[in-house]
Amino acid sequence: MTPHKTIAVNASVKYDIVLGNGIAKEIAPLLKNVLGSCRLAILTDDKVDGLYGKKIETLLNEGGYDTVKFVIANGEESKNSTNLMEFINFMAEHKLTRKDAVIALGGGVVGDMAGFAAAVYLRGIKFVQIPTTLLAAVDSSVGGKTAIDIAAGKNLMGAFHQPSLVCCDTDMLKSLDTNVMRDGYAEVIKYGVIADRELFDKLKSQTEDINAIVARCVEIKRDIVEADEFDTGQRQLLNFGHTIGHAIELLSDFTITHGSAVAKGMLIAARIGAVLGMEDCSAAIKEVLERYGFDLSCPYSAEEIYEVALSDKKRSGGQITLVIPERIGKCILHKTACENLLKLLKEIEL
Ligand code: GLY
């Protein structure tokens, strides 16, 4: 067996995250352990398909799996109801049954949509994540949040549906272009700020091995998901930078990528934290984000961000939950009246 690390997740479904260089070679035997024999519907995007589609399909076929493959265009715009319905119809046309499964081969868009399709097709079939971006490896492939975007906002239609396995081949990350890799580092830096000062400090020197980084992030996420799988409390900490980040992403019509928007959102949240009397972490966060090449300017006004942030699902009643760093390595959930968000954004002179 290729050298790897296994991180066990003990959620409503127990599953393993198997991580290592070249571990995708073992995909068929890994699947045998969790799925037995069945047919597989692979969902991927055109970019990933060109790089890994044939290789993964061949490994699966040689391992005894009959596969069908559905390819969507690369990019956030693809995470829509039209593609979802086409993929679900595709599975129905190919007569996939309840004992069959979905393989998500790709980044966050593919993983979120494949997971949602698996959650609703025949009232739920199994699915497996093969993340091909750093962002998907450290965040979206783990924890069972699946969704598509709708006109009113990002991820507003979805389900909690845990994967049966996450197979993270870190060699796949080597093919990522700088911008896509940088996007993933926004989530990595997030983990440092919310839960691990040591990780944050290591990121400053940029010397940490990618396997160790992914493993540490996944362990942090695993611990949070195990404590609050259905996102009613502590899991909201994973939204650090995301409330403002999603608003920026939407306002830009997705021309600002998720990671870049979250980076801007994390800095804004840290500045809000300082106004609320927390330790001012904004300089430290800015320094690390700039080291990874993030543009931290915000092209939108406080009013624009506020309007869009209110349509985000983190709002509840007249209140919104902000994730604020208390210090590097610890964040808190700060519930406040929606109008206060506008005041705070103005106070930091956004
Ligand atoms: N990406 C945030 C979460 O999984 O809760």
Side-chain angles (χ1 to χ4, degrees):
M1 186 80 165
T2 310
H4 64 279
K5 183 175 169 96
T6 300
I7 298 169
V9 183
N10 196 358
S12 55
V13 172
K14 293 184 188 5
Y15 58 97
D16 285 342
I17 298 151
V18 182
L19 152 81
N21 297 96
I23 191 64
K25 282 199 288 290
E26 315 285 350
I27 188 67
L30 286 167
L31 288 187
K32 279 273 168 333
N33 292 336
V34 290
L35 301 177
S37 56
C38 66
R39 295 175 66 226
L40 301 170
I42 302 171
L43 180 71
T44 191
D45 70 40
D46 50 1
K47 202 166 167 186
V48 176
D49 189 38
L51 292 167
Y52 305 115
K54 184 106 200 99
K55 179 183 160 193
I56 295 293
E57 213 172 359
T58 304
L59 284 164
L60 291 170
N61 297 154
E62 286 173 0
Y65 285 100
D66 176 22
T67 53
V68 289
K69 185 173 70 180
F70 190 86
V71 184
I72 56 174
N74 178 267
E76 183 72 32
E77 307 74 29
S78 283
K79 212 170 90 174
N80 59 45
S81 55
T82 307
N83 280 340
L84 174 78
M85 284 313 302
E86 282 182 10
F87 179 51
I88 288 175
N89 270 310
F90 173 83
M91 289 196 282
E93 278 156 19
H94 285 277
K95 303 196 177 353
L96 264 81
T97 68
R98 278 226 176 106
K99 68 186 253 309
D100 298 326
V102 172
I103 303 288
L105 174 66
V109 167
V110 162
D112 282 7
M113 200 171 100
F116 187 40
V120 293
Y121 179 64
L122 301 179
R123 300 196 180 88
I125 64 171
K126 290 183 175 171
F127 85 111
V128 166
Q129 294 266 17
I130 307 180
T132 59
T133 63
L134 179 60
L135 190 146
V138 298
D139 186 31
S140 57
S141 68
V142 177
K145 273 193 183 173
T146 75
I148 58 164
D149 303 334
I150 58 171
K154 201 171 140 71
N155 294 334
L156 289 189
M157 181 169 160
F160 288 98
H161 188 53
Q162 299 292 339
S164 297
L165 173 76
V166 181
C167 175
C168 177
D169 184 340
T170 42
D171 278 349
M172 287 179 167
L173 308 183
K174 290 180 185 157
S175 59
L176 295 176
D177 41 70
T178 320
N179 291 349
V180 180
M181 195 69 178
R182 186 187 302 125
D183 250 33
Y185 270 107
E187 299 290 345
V188 171
I189 294 164
K190 173 190 86 176
Y191 285 109
V193 179
I194 65 171
D196 190 344
R197 163 133 228 160
E198 208 179 306
L199 171 65
F200 184 86
D201 288 341
K202 280 182 183 153
L203 291 171
K204 284 190 199 161
S205 62
Q206 289 183 314
T207 53
E208 190 70 334
D209 156 61
I210 192 72
N211 283 308
I213 288 178
V214 174
R216 183 62 196 124
C217 294
V218 164
E219 279 166 358
I220 294 170
K221 179 145 190 188
R222 183 266 318 267
D223 292 346
I224 291 176
V225 167
E226 284 183 357
D228 178 25
E229 180 175 348
F230 297 105
D231 205 12
T232 56
Q234 206 190 331
R235 185 164 179 169
Q236 293 169 58
L237 292 171
L238 294 169
N239 293 332
F240 174 51
H242 284 61
T243 302
I244 307 289
H246 280 170
I248 292 174
E249 211 180 343
L250 267 172
L251 283 163
S252 79
D253 214 6
F254 299 103
T255 55
I256 298 179
T257 61
H258 180 72
S260 300
V262 166
K264 294 175 199 291
M266 289 193 287
L267 182 58
I268 292 169
R271 291 174 61 203
I272 288 178
V275 168
L276 291 172
M278 306 293 154
E279 186 179 307
D280 189 351
C281 305
S282 58
I285 292 174
K286 184 168 183 279
E287 188 194 326
V288 174
L289 289 170
E290 281 178 345
R291 189 163 300 217
Y292 284 83
F294 286 102
D295 166 9
L296 296 170
S297 60
C298 180
Y300 305 107
S301 67
E303 285 82 0
E304 283 171 312
I305 290 184
Y306 172 71
E307 284 305 323
V308 178
L310 285 198
S311 68
D312 194 277
K313 57 196 174 323
K314 279 133 213 131
R315 172 188 186 178
S316 154
Q319 294 203 303
I320 190 158
T321 302
L322 304 175
V323 187
I324 302 293
E326 197 175 73
R327 56 174 187 273
I328 299 294
K330 186 171 186 333
C331 282
I332 56 154
L333 299 177
H334 178 80
K335 241 187 197 177
T336 187
C338 290
E339 318 77 79
N340 280 341
L341 175 60
L342 182 59
K343 270 196 222 142
L344 288 163
L345 289 170
K346 283 188 169 166
E347 223 166 308
I348 62 165
E349 289 171 10
L350 198 68

